[in-house]
Amino acid sequence: METRAAVSTMVMYEDESLEVHYVDGAQLQLSPCGCEFLLLKAAESRTHSRQAMGRVRQRTRFTISEYKELLVAALAFRNKYASQPYLPEELISAESKKPFFRIDSNVYWPDWSLSEAELGPGGEIIVRSKGGEATLMLASSGEDFSVEFMCNLSQNQSYRDTYGSSGGLKGDQTEHTPNGGKELTQSMSCSSTNICTQPKMYQSTTVVQHHSCYTVPSMWVYPLSLARYYWTAHVSDAEDGAETTSKAHKPDISSEARRSLLPQALPLTCPSPHLHRWKFKDPLATDEDSDLPTDLLKVMWCQGIIYRILNGTDPVIEVSPGDESVIRSNAVLNGYFTHYKYDLRRKKRKEVTYHVSSLPPDVLGQVYLVSSTVTRASRLIAGYIQALQLLKFSVMPSCLQKERHFFKPVVCEEKPSHAVIDEQDVNVKQTADWRSDLVAAELEKMKRFNILMEYSQLQGSREKELAELEGTPTDATEDQLDEKCIAEALQRTSKAIQDIDAIISAASMI
């Protein structure tokens, strides 16, 4: 297979599984954890009779050289939008690896009074952690941001159990140094025989992620509030012609509130590979009216444009055309879209409102076509809302949901809160929500079963009445059959209640 196959679309679903569609008709599917992939070859590449189906299923880290380039590109897209990256050593170039003895996953951000945010050439605001391990860059539109941070490579589960996700021994309370991951900790470990040996060296790499200011993971709330503070002051200075940055109120934030726990890499092997599900239907058909994915979509790349679904009480879709601007639908009225862009010459943000029924005409030579982009975004959010109504309960959790790897994002207000959300409270709430979903699913099964039983009893009563009117003798065993059906219904209901009790007991132990 040609390794440099051109990509037509990339689709990430809410369970963080990934689909890549190529121009030649081939498809690459990546499991939510990233550990395994399925390649559906293009029709013309199926040359051998034993490869009639054209399917290749392999472990990601052990892929052969023929597919390595495809996997590297797919993982780069996945890691940019997933909650946790998957970083197998075999698929990371040597120049991207950096040696380390221990990386502390805790980073500290500057205080408001000491922060020195940088203003980029395009109007973006850059904030760096005290040790330089993490960087946040707020786009000039003020509506999305990207982060760059050091992350240790994926390890086996046994390593994670022994050393933890930060690369140090569990229970190690070494104080975080200002230089963090940039300096190697030249500590020595001594055995009982007083022979000192240098600790094993591990490797890390730089991870880049892209987020929306509409929903923000808790670890980025504080640095984003710093960036938005300076971004707002910068826009105000440009509009009012006054130096408002020094006059603005800077709250006093404790050192603990300025701490962030960076995302850690997923383990090398998935503990729940039996939950990997593969899709064999193209989520984007050629027909304009049927190009909506059947599963819940999270992110889609198409023709250089990113479409992102922001789930909430009222889901919205956010479009990143690639020119630092953002187009976002209205949460209540999805037919309306607001285009946020930054005027570099005037140093001022502009907002333009569109409606799908009256979009501006496309102009030849534009980097992207506003009309086509907004129209596709409108269809995607409409399909998402429709799928959300149909898929009320997940039939089977994904491998990531099973292992509780997700971080709960928070919806930001116009001025983000200065308090950092406690991740422990988020995980507790998430566990409670998961437990409620499972119980609700079991109750839904009981409800459907009872409806079927009521329908069957009603149908039997009608047949009996019809037989009596026609003078046809009824079978004497019908009463016995009714009693048997009732007994079976009671047994199944009792079994469903026992299943609910078992689910609650199991969930309470998590």
Side-chain angles (χ1 to χ4, degrees), residues 365-429:
Q366 285 182 323
V367 179
Y368 59 94
L369 304 179
V370 174
S371 178
S372 302
T373 301
V374 173
T375 300
R376 175 176 283 135
S378 178
R379 293 202 309 269
L380 287 173
I381 188 62
Y384 178 88
I385 294 175
Q386 182 180 5
L388 194 64
Q389 294 172 349
L390 296 176
L391 303 175
K392 292 183 179 179
F393 303 107
S394 178
V395 177
M396 182 181 295
S398 72
C399 56
L400 287 184
Q401 292 167 334
K402 182 78 173 179
E403 296 301 319
R404 318 303 304 148
H405 282 309
F406 284 111
F407 291 97
K408 183 87 169 178
V410 294
V411 179
C412 278
E413 303 170 356
E414 184 65 24
K415 295 181 179 179
S417 172
H418 305 314
V420 178
I421 295 180
D422 188 353
E423 293 183 6
Q424 184 176 1
D425 293 340
V426 171
N427 292 332
V428 170
K429 183 180 184 298

Side-chain angles (χ1 to χ4, degrees), residues 106-376:
N106 293 283
V107 297
Y108 293 86
W109 299 92
D111 187 80
W112 289 74
S113 58
L114 301 177
S115 177
E116 297 180 357
E118 304 173 21
L119 178 63
E124 63 275 7
I125 301 296
I126 303 172
V127 176
R128 306 182 190 275
S129 63
K130 293 182 66 175
E133 314 89 346
T135 302
L136 183 145
M137 185 177 69
L138 178 64
S140 57
S141 64
E143 296 298 324
D144 64 334
F145 66 97
S146 60
V147 291
E148 182 178 305
F149 57 92
M150 295 296 298
C151 184
N152 57 307
L153 302 187
S154 297
Q155 303 290 338
N156 291 321
Q157 192 63 40
S158 58
Y159 165 85
R160 293 165 62 90
D161 294 339
T162 303
Y163 294 94
S165 58
S166 62
L169 284 169
K170 280 195 173 181
D172 185 6
Q173 301 296 328
T174 305
E175 185 178 356
H176 180 73
T177 60
N179 290 328
K182 280 194 168 183
E183 289 187 355
L184 298 179
T185 306
Q186 302 293 341
S187 60
M188 309 295 287
S189 60
C190 299
S191 63
S192 57
T193 57
N194 295 325
I195 300 178
C196 294
T197 59
Q198 189 172 355
K200 184 177 179 180
M201 183 176 292
Y202 299 97
Q203 292 179 318
S204 66
T205 189
T206 301
V207 176
V208 177
Q209 292 184 343
H210 183 258
H211 299 279
S212 169
C213 293
Y214 192 85
T215 56
V216 185
S218 57
M219 71 281 293
W220 306 118
V221 169
Y222 176 75
L224 177 61
S225 65
L226 280 179
R228 284 191 65 89
Y229 169 80
Y230 284 97
W231 177 87
T232 303
H234 171 68
V235 173
S236 299
D237 291 345
E239 292 181 351
D240 302 335
E243 293 293 333
T244 59
T245 305
S246 59
K247 299 178 182 179
H249 173 66
K250 300 178 180 180
D252 185 16
I253 304 297
S254 64
S255 59
E256 182 62 23
R258 293 186 282 110
R259 179 179 66 88
S260 293
L261 181 65
L262 296 179
Q264 297 301 298
L266 292 167
L268 273 176
T269 57
C270 179
S272 305
H274 60 283
L275 295 179
H276 294 170
R277 295 179 294 120
W278 309 106
K279 309 174 184 68
F280 300 101
K281 184 179 179 181
D282 190 341
L284 295 178
T286 56
D287 186 3
E288 184 175 342
D289 296 329
S290 61
D291 63 345
L292 301 177
T294 54
D295 290 351
L296 294 181
L297 180 137
K298 181 177 181 179
V299 181
M300 185 181 79
W301 178 95
C302 183
Q303 298 178 353
I305 299 176
I306 294 292
Y307 301 84
R308 184 205 302 263
I309 299 291
L310 306 174
N311 195 4
T313 306
D314 297 302
V316 303
I317 186 167
E318 185 174 282
V319 183
S320 299
D323 61 347
E324 299 298 324
S325 68
V326 168
I327 304 174
R328 185 183 300 135
S329 66
N330 187 285
V332 180
L333 302 174
N334 282 314
Y336 288 90
F337 289 79
T338 303
H339 195 173
Y340 304 93
K341 45 188 175 181
Y342 183 75
D343 189 335
L344 184 60
R345 184 175 60 86
R346 297 183 178 181
K347 296 183 179 181
K348 181 179 179 182
R349 187 174 80 162
K350 297 171 58 179
E351 297 182 12
V352 181
T353 302
Y354 308 123
H355 190 271
V356 291
S357 63
S358 58
L359 293 171
D362 294 330
V363 179
L364 188 64
Q366 285 182 323
V367 179
Y368 59 94
L369 304 179
V370 174
S371 178
S372 302
T373 301
V374 173
T375 300
R376 175 176 283 135

